[in-house]
Amino acid sequence: MNEIQVYVCEDSIEGIFTAIYDAWASKRGHVNNKIQLEHNTEIALFCSYLSVKPDLEKAEKVTRSIKQKIGLEAYRYIYYMALSNRDDKADAIYRFMILGFHYGSQVMDHLSNDAVNLMAKTYKRVSMERHRYTGFVRFEELSNHILVSKIRPENNILPILAPHFVDRFSSENFMIIDESRQMAVVHPARKQWFILSMELMDQNVLEEVSEREKEMKGAWATFVEHISIKERENLKLQQNMCPLRYREFMPEFKKE
Amino acid sequence: MIPYLHETSSYDIVKTRNRTYVCVGENMVIQENMSMEEKLSILSDAAKFDVACTSSGVDRKGNQDGIGNAASCGICHTYSQDGRCISLLKILFTNECIFDCKYCINRRSNDVKRATFTPKEVCDLTIEFYRRNFIEGLFLSSGIVNSPDYTMDLIYQTLVLLRIQHGFNGYIHVKAIPGADPELVNRVGWLADRMSVNLELPTSEGLKELAPNKNRKNILKPMKQIQLGIQEYKGKRIEMTGGSGIVGIDGKPIVSTQNTALQLANLQMGIDPSYDNPVSLVNRKNKFKKKFRFVPAGQSTQMIIGATPETDYQLLSVTSSLYKKFDLKRVFYSAYVPINEDCLLPSMDTKSPLLREHRLYQADWLLRFYGFEADEILNEENPYFNVLLDPKCNWALKHLEQFPVEVNKADYAMLLRVPGIGVNSARRIVRARKMAVLDFADLKKMGVVLKRAHYFITCNGKMMYPVKIEEDYIIRNMLEVKEKLPEPLQEVNTYKQLSMFDTNYQWRVGS
C-alpha cells in the first residue's frame, strides 16, 4: 500500500487551489492524495504531511482550467464550497474536480454521485444563508452617517453578500462586520468596496450611533408587533422561518 | 397626460396643542396630534389583514442617483409572531374610511382610533426603514378618505415623492382604489412595481351583502385597466426627471396635484419637524433622469375566505378564471378572522379557517406550477378539500390507474404529479437520470419524500416495498406515519368522508 500524502493548506480559495495544483502535479495517483485544512490537526497513521503555501499563480491556473473545462456553474459550486464551514471542503473540491475533468460540464447533472451531491447540497446551504442575510442584515446609523451592520454567519458569506448591498446602497457609506471571523466589508460611497480584517480597521470611524437610531428602532419594533395577527399566533413557524441564530443583531427581537 | 385637479378651493387649518382642525367647505376633519410611532402603530394594525407582503417579480439594478434595487426572487426581512413574512412596510395611508364593510376593522361604524399619514411621512419612513435594511420597500393601501379619487391621489403623491424626488428604486406595491379616476390609476401604475385590487369576497352576492358601498363592477374595472395597461405598454419606458424640487414626466413638468387646497392642508398637517430634512438626501445629486415601466411586477388580488358560504370548488374556480381572464401574477387568500359583531357575519367564536386557507394555497400552487386544472382538483361532486390529505395526494389516490410511474422514464409533467416529488426534485431527477440509472437511495439524496412517493413510483421496474396499489391501503399506511398532520388531527387514524373542518394549522404564504 502506498503511503497517503496529505497536503495541508490555508483556509482560502487560493490555499485550496494551490494544494490541488500540487497534488495533481505530483502524479502519485488521486487515491494516494488528500487535501486538508491547516486547522484540522488530527494526525492519521500511514500518512505523510506536506504544508502548502498559497501561490497566486498556481491558484489562477486552477481557476482558469475549472472555468474552461468544467464550466462557470461548476466554478460557482466550488467557490461556494470554499466559503462554507465544512472541515472537509478542500478534499471535497478535489474529488469533485477529478470527476469534473472526466465528465466536463455534464458532471453537474450527476446528482446521484456522492461527490457531486455534496457540492450541490453545500451550494444550496451557503446560498440559502446568503439569501437570508440579504433580508436579516440590520444597519445602524452612526453620528457620522455611516451605516454599520454586524452579523455572525456560519459560512464565510461576506464576499458573496457584499455585491447585493453595494448595488442597493451605492451612495451610502456602509460596513458589514462578520463578528465570528473579525472581517468587514467596507463600502465608501460611490467607490470600490473591499474586505478588511478588523485588526486593520481604524477604530475611530466607529462613532456613537446617531440620535435618531433609538427612534427608528422603536418605530420598527412597533411595526413588527402590530402587523402580526394575534388570532393566528404561531411562534414555531416564526422560528422555522427566522431561526434564533439570526436574531442576535435584529432590533425587533430585542427585549426592552 | 392630462393634469388631474380637484375642485376644492378654500381651506382653513386651526392647530391647538392636541388637535388639528381642517375645514374644507362644509367638511371638517379633526385630527389628534399624534407622534409618528403612534400613527404607525394604528395604521400597521389596520393593514395587518392585507395579505401578499411579497416583493417578488421584478429585477432592478441600483444606481448612484438614488437608493435601492429589487430582486425578482423577493426578500423576506423578518417574520412576525404569526409566522408570516415581513418584506414590505405594509401600512394604510389612512383608516378614516367612509365605507362600512361588515367584515372590516376600519369600517365607519366601528369606534377605533383613527389616523392619517401625510405623503411625506410615508416617504420618509420608507426611506429610513429601507436604509437600515428593515424592509424591501413599501406596500401602501388605504381606507377611503373623502372619496376614491382623493385617496388615490394621496397615494400618487406619495409615490411621486419616493420615486421621483428621492430616486427610490426599492419595491413598491400599491392598491388601486376601486372607483378612482382611471387617469390616476394609470399614473400610479408608472411608478409602482405591483398593483392590486382587492376582490374582497369571492362572489358578487357576498360583496353586495357584506360590503354595501362596493360593487363587483367597480372592482373589476381597474383590474381590467391595469391588465390592458400591462399588455399595451409592454417593453415601453417613460423617462422622468427627478431630484429635489424637480419633477417631470417625458420632459414636461408634472402638474402637481398638490396645488389644490385640501391636499396642501393635508401636507401641512401633523408633519413631525424632525423628518423635514432626511439624511437620505444628503448624498444625492440634485437632478437625475430615470426610466419607468408600467406595473413591471404584475397584478395580484386577494379575497377573504370563510366569511361567506362558498364551496372550495367555487373558490378554486374563481381563482383559476382570475388567472386566465386577468393575467394575475398571484391570487391571495385571507382566512376570515371574526373581529366585528354582525348578524350577517359568522359568529364571533368562529375559528379562523386556517387549514382551508392552507389547502387553497396548495391547490393554487398546483394550478401555477404543476400543470393542474381546477376541475382536476375539485369538482361539483367533490366540492371540498380533503382535510387529511393535500390536494395532490388526493388527486393521485383518485387516479391510481396512472400509477406507478417509472422514475427513470416518466416525463417531467408526470413526475410532477407524483406525491412527494416537487418542482425541484422533479428537475433534479430529469437531470440526474441522463448520467446514471436512479434507484431509491439516489431519489432520497435528491430530496424526494419517499414515505409518500414510494406508493406511486418504481425504480428500474421495482417498487421500494411490496405494497398494494389500492386507495384504502395507501391512505391507511400514509396516515399511520402521521406526518405533518395538524395537531387536532393527529388522533384521527381512520379515513372519513370529510366536511369543512377548521383548525389551527401551520401555514405560510410563499413569496
Side-chain angles (χ1 to χ4, degrees), chain B residues 69 392 405:
Chain B
N69 59 10
K392 189 165 127 181
V405 297

Side-chain angles (χ1 to χ4, degrees), chain A residues 73 103 106 108-112 114 117 121 124 131 134-139 141 145 147 164-165 167-172 190 212-213 215-216 218-220 222-224 226-229 231-235 237-238 241-242 250-253, chain B residues 37 40-41 44-45 48-49 61-64 66-69 73-84 86 88-90 128-136 274-275 279 283-284 337 354 357 428 431-432 434-436 442 445 506-507:
Chain A
E73 199 191 350
Y103 288 109
Q106 267 195 319
M108 303 304 289
D109 291 338
H110 209 337
L111 291 163
S112 57
D114 286 333
N117 202 271
K121 286 227 164 93
K124 206 177 146 197
H131 176 76
T134 57
F136 297 160
V137 157
R138 294 286 179 266
F139 289 103
E141 188 184 49
H145 299 325
L147 297 170
H164 170 79
F165 288 105
D167 183 55
R168 173 162 293 201
F169 298 128
S170 56
S171 52
E172 302 275 2
R190 297 198 174 87
R212 275 212 316 187
E213 253 349 79
E215 191 190 335
M216 293 317 299
W220 171 240
T222 303
F223 171 74
V224 173
H226 283 267
I227 209 70
S228 177
I229 299 175
E231 292 83 349
R232 315 182 59 133
E233 183 174 285
N234 191 342
L235 296 178
L237 180 58
Q238 183 192 30
M241 306 310 287
C242 182
M250 296 167 81
E252 64 270 34
F253 295 110
Chain B
E37 199 171 322
L40 181 62
S41 70
S44 52
D45 214 305
K48 68 186 173 193
F49 291 109
K61 283 251 153 227
N63 62 44
Q64 303 205 335
I67 180 172
N69 59 10
C73 56
I75 296 173
C76 295
H77 283 252
T78 192
Y79 289 82
S80 49
Q81 297 208 330
D82 50 18
R84 297 190 303 167
I86 297 178
L88 306 171
L89 173 62
K90 181 169 66 175
E128 290 303 334
F129 274 13
Y130 193 83
R131 288 179 75 225
R132 286 159 180 81
N133 205 41
F134 294 163
I135 52 169
E136 205 51 23
S274 66
Y275 284 88
V279 190
N283 279 326
R284 309 275 146 66
V337 177
L354 298 187
E357 181 193 80
R428 285 188 203 122
R431 280 184 90 170
K434 285 192 278 185
M435 302 296 289
D442 297 330
K445 272 188 274 183
Q506 275 204 0
W507 72 293

Side-chain angles (χ1 to χ4, degrees), chain B residues 326-337:
Chain B
F326 292 92
D327 301 329
L328 293 188
K329 273 274 155 73
R330 286 293 303 271
V331 174
F332 291 94
Y333 312 98
S334 171
Y336 174 71
V337 177

Side-chain angles (χ1 to χ4, degrees), chain B residues 195-246:
Chain B
M195 290 191 75
S196 56
V197 191
N198 284 356
L199 196 65
E200 309 292 5
L201 294 160
T203 59
S204 51
E205 294 79 49
L207 194 70
K208 203 181 279 171
E209 191 154 277
L210 296 186
N213 309 92
K214 296 184 178 169
N215 67 63
R216 189 77 154 197
K217 218 179 94 198
N218 261 358
I219 289 173
L220 296 182
K221 205 177 126 198
M223 209 185 260
K224 198 78 203 167
Q225 186 198 343
I226 295 165
Q227 179 200 16
L228 294 176
I230 294 173
Q231 285 168 5
E232 188 187 335
Y233 302 131
K234 202 169 186 181
K236 225 181 186 182
R237 282 152 191 269
I238 59 171
E239 190 172 81
M240 306 195 201
T241 316
S244 37
I246 308 156

Side-chain angles (χ1 to χ4, degrees), chain A residues 34-256:
Chain A
K34 201 172 176 243
I35 299 175
Q36 205 169 296
L37 298 178
E38 275 164 358
H39 61 263
N40 297 359
T41 45
E42 51 187 275
I43 307 275
L45 288 174
F46 311 115
C47 292
S48 69
Y49 290 82
L50 186 70
S51 178
V52 179
K53 281 222 168 64
D55 178 324
L56 284 184
E57 211 169 296
K58 287 176 181 173
E60 184 52 42
K61 279 184 188 162
V62 173
T63 306
R64 217 180 313 136
S65 44
I66 293 170
K67 285 183 180 166
Q68 279 171 6
K69 294 189 179 127
I70 326 182
L72 288 175
E73 199 191 350
Y75 182 74
R76 186 183 268 262
Y77 270 39
I78 291 170
Y79 186 59
Y80 276 53
M81 176 62 98
L83 297 177
S84 81
N85 62 349
R86 289 190 72 94
D87 281 337
D88 60 355
K89 62 188 177 186
D91 206 58
I93 292 172
Y94 182 43
R95 301 296 145 201
F96 174 71
M97 279 175 58
I98 296 165
L99 281 174
F101 283 119
H102 177 74
Y103 288 109
S105 64
Q106 267 195 319
V107 72
M108 303 304 289
D109 291 338
H110 209 337
L111 291 163
S112 57
N113 180 291
D114 286 333
V116 182
N117 202 271
L118 179 65
M119 295 298 286
K121 286 227 164 93
T122 307
Y123 174 74
K124 206 177 146 197
R125 202 166 58 85
V126 176
S127 51
M128 183 61 180
E129 189 178 39
R130 176 205 165 268
H131 176 76
R132 278 180 159 160
Y133 269 114
T134 57
F136 297 160
V137 157
R138 294 286 179 266
F139 289 103
E140 273 187 325
E141 188 184 49
L142 307 185
S143 42
N144 50 9
H145 299 325
I146 295 177
L147 297 170
V148 176
S149 162
K150 289 178 182 164
I151 59 176
R152 204 185 296 281
E154 285 178 347
N155 305 292
N156 180 20
I157 57 165
L158 279 188
I160 47 176
L161 182 64
H164 170 79
F165 288 105
V166 169
D167 183 55
R168 173 162 293 201
F169 298 128
S170 56
S171 52
E172 302 275 2
N173 296 305
F174 73 81
M175 222 182 276
I176 305 171
I177 301 169
D178 180 338
E179 286 282 314
S180 38
R181 289 168 191 78
Q182 285 300 304
M183 303 286 280
V185 166
V186 178
H187 175 264
R190 297 198 174 87
K191 296 212 179 80
Q192 180 59 43
W193 63 278
F194 50 94
I195 292 180
L196 189 70
S197 162
M198 287 304 281
E199 290 163 21
L200 302 172
M201 175 93 62
D202 175 8
Q203 298 295 324
N204 293 329
V205 177
L206 300 172
E207 291 183 12
E208 295 278 296
V209 294
S210 77
E211 277 174 28
R212 275 212 316 187
E213 253 349 79
K214 209 178 154 196
E215 191 190 335
M216 293 317 299
K217 279 183 196 159
W220 171 240
T222 303
F223 171 74
V224 173
E225 186 195 328
H226 283 267
I227 209 70
S228 177
I229 299 175
K230 246 204 328 264
E231 292 83 349
R232 315 182 59 133
E233 183 174 285
N234 191 342
L235 296 178
K236 216 171 127 194
L237 180 58
Q238 183 192 30
Q239 197 173 321
N240 285 343
M241 306 310 287
C242 182
L244 298 177
R245 70 185 176 89
Y246 290 99
R247 300 186 184 181
E248 184 180 350
F249 302 106
M250 296 167 81
E252 64 270 34
F253 295 110
K254 293 262 154 62
K255 298 251 158 57
E256 304 270 309

Side-chain angles (χ1 to χ4, degrees), chain A residues 4-48:
Chain A
I4 302 266
Q5 177 73 267
V6 181
Y7 297 83
V8 180
C9 64
E10 184 192 270
D11 182 3
S12 70
I13 195 140
E14 293 82 12
I16 295 169
F17 280 4
T18 308
I20 289 174
Y21 185 95
D22 286 353
W24 224 287
S26 73
K27 305 222 161 113
R28 307 176 76 250
H30 297 311
V31 285
N32 302 318
N33 289 332
K34 201 172 176 243
I35 299 175
Q36 205 169 296
L37 298 178
E38 275 164 358
H39 61 263
N40 297 359
T41 45
E42 51 187 275
I43 307 275
L45 288 174
F46 311 115
C47 292
S48 69

